[in-house]
């Protein structure tokens, strides 16, 4: 009698699903875009590329900005010249510093670059007042340290150690939120590409960076002055400013695409329509810039109404519409969730939005804008 096969297919299918990030709320870029990365890496075989890079600079650019001929979807909106400078910086002996307003996708850009160049975007240091040198370089398993002494086995590597050892990009998020002495841990590493480990013996006392290692740091312009970088550290980075999206059509396309992608991943069968997207993006841009589309001045808000915030607001409106309404996003859903985006720590911002509705939205006679105005009672 033949033995029954073990139900391996079901397990295999599940693990494949997990591998591609289907079961994750927010999979890393190398999981989310695994097929595109594999195709671009294969296409880079005969192209010149820096030592340690998985693909050519040309294909890194195609991955980030998209390439219709290669079937690569755009993921970031930015000038080609800006992106080329960023990619070239990472092939030099200086790090890349991305600065800009909150919500301009600096972190997402650093993730995309790390995924394309190293195949790993997870070597990330999150800067904060509580970040220590152990979080950046390495620490110790104290039980092993006591029983065996300092060794490779008792050493617990942090992102910078792993990036140097395996020749990968390290992401340092919100670097200016770290104390100055913590930031300056990078000084000798970016200069000499070597990390001293004095606890170890002989040749293990020095870790030399493998080809492909570099650092991408991000900082918000609104955080300048929290912990200003030293002049010495600044000299070890090339600075690039990530600007808000200038073209409204590009911003609308991005908001609609990312919102619908996020809703789909959340299991919400709701799609953001073009008219609703235009309503949301126009409102955000006018309140962000402090002027209407026809050039009339209005009061801008202290909070940052970024493209990322627009996506979050649209996602919340879509989920609300699915669970509490007819499954279609209406203007009043946007108004309801606009409040949570606007009202951070300045009560005057809500008054400015109410003023915007009374003096700008009220005068617009298109049906959607009239319904938007009728929902103003939700602004409370």
């Amino acid at each position: 009698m033949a033995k029954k096969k073990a139900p391996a297919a079901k397990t295999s299918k599940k693990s494949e699903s997990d591998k591609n990030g289907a079961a994750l709320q927010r999979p890393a870029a190398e999981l989310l875009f695994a097929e595109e990365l594999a195709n671009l890496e294969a296409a880079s075989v005969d192209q010149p590329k820096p030592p340690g890079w998985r693909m050519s600079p040309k294909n890194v650019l195609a991955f980030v900005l998209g390439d219709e001929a290669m079937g690569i979807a755009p993921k970031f909106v930015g000038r080609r010249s800006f992106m080329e400078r960023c990619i070239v910086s990472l092939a030099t002996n200086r790090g890349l510093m991305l600065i800009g307003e909150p919500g301009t996708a600096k972190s997402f850009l650093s993730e995309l670059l790390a995924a394309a160049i190293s195949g790993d975007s997870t070597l990330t240091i999150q800067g904060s007042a509580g970040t220590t040198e152990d979080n950046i370089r390495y620490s110790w398993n104290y039980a092993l340290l006591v029983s065996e002494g300092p060794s490779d086995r008792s050493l617990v590597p942090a992102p910078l150690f792993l990036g140097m050892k395996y020749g990968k990009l390290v992401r340092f998020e919100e670097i200016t939120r770290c104390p100055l002495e913590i930031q300056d841990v990078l000084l000798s590493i970016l200069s000499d590409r070597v990390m001293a480990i004095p606890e170890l013996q002989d040749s293990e006392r020095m870790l030399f960076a493998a080809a492909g290692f570099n650092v991408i740091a991000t900082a918000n312009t609104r955080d300048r002055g929290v912990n200003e970088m030293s002049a010495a550290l600044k000299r070890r980075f090339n600075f690039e400013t990530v600007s808000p999206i200038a073209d409204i059509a590009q911003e609308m396309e991005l908001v609609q695409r990312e919102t619908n992608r996020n809703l789909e991943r959340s299991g919400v069968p709701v799609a953001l329509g073009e008219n609703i997207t235009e309503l949301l993006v126009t409102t955000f841009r006018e309140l962000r810039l402090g002027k209407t589309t026809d050039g009339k001045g209005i009061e801008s808000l202290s909070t940052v109404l970024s493209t990322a915030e627009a996506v979050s607001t649209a996602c919340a409106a879509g989920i609300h519409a699915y669970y509490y309404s007819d499954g279609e996003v209406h203007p009043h859903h946007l108004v309801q969730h606009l409040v949570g985006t606007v009202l951070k720590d300045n009560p005057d911002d809500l008054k400015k939005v109410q003023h915007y509705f009374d003096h700008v939205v009220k005068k617009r006679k298109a049906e959607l804008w009239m319904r938007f105005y009728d929902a103003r009672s939700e602004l409370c």
Side-chain angles (χ1 to χ4, degrees), residues 4-12:
K4 289 184 179 180
K5 288 185 178 180
K10 189 177 290 186
T11 306
S12 173

Side-chain angles (χ1 to χ4, degrees), residues 100-342:
E101 287 285 314
T104 48
K106 299 180 297 297
S107 296
F108 185 51
L109 176 56
S110 75
E111 181 183 359
L112 292 174
L113 290 170
I117 293 170
S118 301
D120 185 357
S121 64
T122 62
L123 298 181
T124 306
I125 302 161
Q126 181 58 57
S128 71
T131 302
T132 66
E133 193 171 330
D134 289 353
N135 303 139
I136 299 173
R137 289 159 40 97
Y138 60 88
S139 58
W140 298 96
N141 179 322
Y142 286 102
L144 287 174
L145 186 65
V146 170
S147 62
E148 301 178 1
S151 65
D152 278 341
R153 237 167 69 83
S154 57
L155 185 144
V156 180
L160 200 62
F161 185 101
L162 293 171
M164 295 179 70
K165 183 174 182 178
Y166 296 110
K168 295 184 177 183
L169 292 182
V170 176
R171 301 165 55 208
F172 201 137
E173 299 292 327
E174 308 286 3
I175 189 171
T176 53
R177 302 202 71 81
C178 292
L180 195 61
E181 61 272 17
I182 299 300
Q183 295 179 31
D184 283 349
V185 168
L186 295 176
L187 280 174
S188 61
I189 290 169
L190 287 175
S191 295
D192 305 324
R193 304 285 158 154
V194 62
M195 180 189 294
I197 311 171
E199 297 90 344
L200 298 181
Q201 300 296 317
D202 303 325
S203 61
E204 294 180 335
R205 287 186 297 109
M206 305 296 281
L207 174 65
F208 294 90
F213 165 73
N214 212 331
V215 176
I216 311 176
T218 66
N220 287 327
T221 50
R222 294 203 177 198
D223 288 338
R224 282 184 176 178
V226 174
N227 290 294
E228 183 65 31
M229 292 173 67
S230 66
L233 186 56
K234 285 180 180 178
R235 288 195 300 271
R236 287 158 174 82
F237 282 98
N238 287 333
F239 280 65
E240 293 289 346
T241 301
V242 183
S243 303
I245 301 173
D247 184 69
I248 187 171
Q250 288 184 317
E251 186 170 10
M252 283 175 54
E253 181 185 353
L254 178 64
V255 169
Q256 188 172 18
R257 183 180 70 240
E258 291 303 313
T259 298
N260 290 340
R261 177 186 291 167
N262 291 342
L263 289 172
E264 183 181 357
R265 292 198 64 83
S266 300
V268 176
V270 173
L272 195 68
E274 188 175 335
N275 290 339
I276 288 288
T277 305
E278 183 178 8
L279 180 69
L280 175 64
V281 172
T282 300
T283 299
F284 268 57
R285 288 177 71 89
E286 290 182 334
L287 290 170
R288 180 198 310 152
L289 299 173
K291 63 180 179 181
T292 61
T293 51
D294 56 3
K296 293 181 181 177
I298 58 174
E299 286 191 281
S300 59
L301 307 185
S302 62
T303 190
V304 179
L305 290 179
S306 64
T307 305
E309 293 277 18
V311 172
S312 296
T313 302
C315 285
I319 292 171
H320 195 147
Y322 177 60
Y323 288 112
Y324 291 107
S325 189
D326 59 1
E328 183 178 349
V329 180
H330 297 287
H332 71 270
H333 293 127
L334 296 182
V335 178
Q336 284 178 302
H337 294 282
L338 184 62
V339 176
T341 302
V342 167

